[in-house]
Amino acid sequence: MGHPFPVREIARQAGLSEATVDRVLNGRGGVRESTAQEVHRAIADLDRQRTQVRLVGRTFMIDIVMQAPERFTTAVRAALEAELPSLHPAVLRSRFRFRETGPVGELVGTLDRIARRGSQGVILKAPDVPQVTAAVGRLEAAGIPVVTLVTDLPASTRLAYVGIDNRAAGATAAYLLGQWLGDRPGHVLTTVSRGFFRGEEEREMGFRAAIRARHPVRRLVEVTDSDGLDATQYDLVLAALRDDPGIKAVYSIGGGNVATLDAFDALNRPCEVFIAHDLDHDNAGLLRAGRLSAVLHHDLRQDMRRACRVVMRAHGALPADTAPVLPSPIQVVTPYNMPPESAGVADS
């Protein structure tokens, strides 16, 4: 096996003779399998220790740039800060550039200022539009790796995408809603914050495709362009409910779920099934109260850890990894299997 360590160093780490290590490394036989495994473990230990030494004293300044409602950016900040100890002995410092809405030009201006000022990396949640794609290209040209979070920019030069398979998540929502709504009549309201977020578009496509395949007569009604903000969401949902008395269920792709339920309550209308995304403060409380049927969740702390490690690997601080970054597992969370950290959030 290839390795960068002298036989003497491996032998010292494994507590074996140099001759034994040499036989294992060159496959000459005459060595017990357990002894060979000790040699391989010693090499792995040395590699980890070398990585730790390489990280000591390293400081990585990264920028987290996101267009999202405050409830989600708060969750992202908390997830990153909770993961910082796991990145030791490296020190990771972060600058947060959050906004709930605004012109694309302002977001592009933020990215271009980072390119001029410098950064070790950018973790980005942004609309999938040509201006943002071009700005990502300028960051990469400046030597600043970009990792997209939750929603991707596949046509850009971003280094990696970290998050769930959004199309699979939409199909999962369709499956759950179909199972719970059964043969009862009723239309389904889908709510999207903005059409230019790739992740939301993929969720909607996955949902529609699965509904057409499994429940072709079920009517879908769309509400969009609320930015996931409660104030905007309420009016849009209220209008949709007044226009369509048959709406009985909701698939919330872009958030604003408190406002959506407030609109149902204002008209004294039942919502028989409600599938949402992300176990943020609002959704945790609604789930505990029985107002949501299920939340499609992913481990945001794991996502932030993976994104940071991608940035660190880009700077040679961690060993190269040729394997692609796999999608985060989709968790179906009900009131009875909420992660422990979410229970406290819901009560606060």
Side-chain angles (χ1 to χ4, degrees):
M1 60 182 295
H3 62 89
F5 308 108
V7 170
R8 178 177 300 177
E9 189 173 356
I10 298 171
R12 186 184 308 117
Q13 180 72 25
L16 300 169
S17 69
E18 294 180 29
T20 298
V21 171
D22 186 71
R23 283 199 297 274
V24 172
L25 295 178
N26 291 286
R28 287 200 289 268
V31 179
R32 291 192 302 272
E33 178 61 26
S34 60
T35 301
Q37 290 176 0
E38 289 180 22
V39 172
H40 298 321
R41 280 196 296 269
I43 293 172
D45 290 342
L46 287 169
D47 191 56
R48 282 193 297 271
Q49 292 167 20
R50 183 181 64 169
T51 297
Q52 294 293 304
V53 170
R54 192 163 56 233
L55 287 174
V56 169
R58 292 288 297 272
T59 298
F60 297 87
M61 177 64 78
I62 64 171
D63 291 271
I64 296 88
V65 181
M66 306 187 71
Q67 179 170 317
E70 184 271 339
R71 60 180 177 272
F72 185 73
T73 56
T74 296
V76 167
R77 184 194 295 265
L80 175 60
E81 291 174 349
E83 282 302 306
L84 291 181
S86 72
L87 302 174
H88 288 168
V91 176
L92 191 143
R93 297 176 59 195
S94 51
R95 293 180 291 227
F96 297 96
R97 302 288 184 266
F98 295 158
R99 65 186 215 150
E100 291 195 312
T101 186
V104 169
E106 291 182 4
L107 179 60
V108 169
T110 296
L111 297 176
D112 285 341
R113 284 191 294 274
I114 292 171
R116 292 192 298 269
R117 182 191 61 216
S119 176
Q120 269 72 56
V122 172
I123 298 174
L124 178 64
K125 179 184 183 295
D128 183 15
V129 295
Q131 303 96 306
V132 174
T133 295
V136 170
R138 292 190 289 273
L139 285 165
E140 292 287 343
I144 301 172
V146 176
V147 179
T148 52
L149 180 72
V150 180
T151 183
D152 199 11
L153 303 171
S156 73
T157 56
R158 57 92 171 125
L159 190 58
Y161 162 70
V162 172
I164 60 173
D165 179 333
N166 284 295
R167 193 179 293 258
T172 300
Y175 173 79
L176 294 173
L177 191 144
Q179 290 290 104
W180 288 334
L181 203 54
D183 295 329
R184 287 174 289 168
H187 304 157
V188 179
L189 182 70
T190 63
T191 65
V192 178
S193 71
R194 283 285 167 181
F196 52 33
F197 283 107
R198 173 61 66 110
E200 294 190 21
E201 179 185 23
E202 290 179 344
R203 290 175 186 177
E204 184 179 25
M205 288 190 295
F207 183 79
R208 287 183 178 275
I211 287 289
R212 281 197 302 269
R214 299 177 66 91
H215 310 281
V217 300
R218 187 78 69 185
R219 182 185 175 200
L220 303 183
V221 179
E222 183 180 88
V223 164
T224 189
D225 293 342
S226 70
D227 293 309
L229 303 178
D230 285 337
T232 311
Q233 183 85 355
Y234 178 82
D235 291 335
L236 291 171
V237 173
L238 194 65
L241 293 176
R242 284 172 171 160
D243 287 344
D244 190 337
I247 294 174
K248 300 292 185 183
V250 175
Y251 173 39
S252 171
I253 298 171
N257 302 324
V258 171
T260 296
L261 287 166
D262 285 347
F264 272 89
D265 292 343
L267 298 178
N268 197 27
R269 292 264 294 275
C271 181
E272 298 183 12
V273 182
F274 197 134
I275 310 294
H277 278 272
D278 301 318
L279 208 55
D280 56 32
H281 180 276
D282 285 356
N283 286 344
L286 293 172
L287 192 61
R288 288 283 299 275
R291 302 302 307 276
L292 301 181
S293 306
V295 171
L296 300 182
H297 180 61
H298 58 284
D299 188 339
L300 195 53
R301 286 183 56 171
Q302 175 181 291
D303 285 352
M304 297 307 295
R305 179 170 66 251
R306 293 168 72 189
C308 291
R309 290 179 69 85
V310 168
V311 170
M312 294 163 70
R313 191 171 285 116
H315 291 283
L318 293 174
D321 186 357
T322 58
V325 179
L326 298 176
S328 304
I330 302 169
Q331 305 170 23
V332 179
V333 182
T334 72
Y336 302 101
N337 69 332
M338 294 177 66
E341 61 269 21
S342 299
V345 168
D347 292 334
S348 61

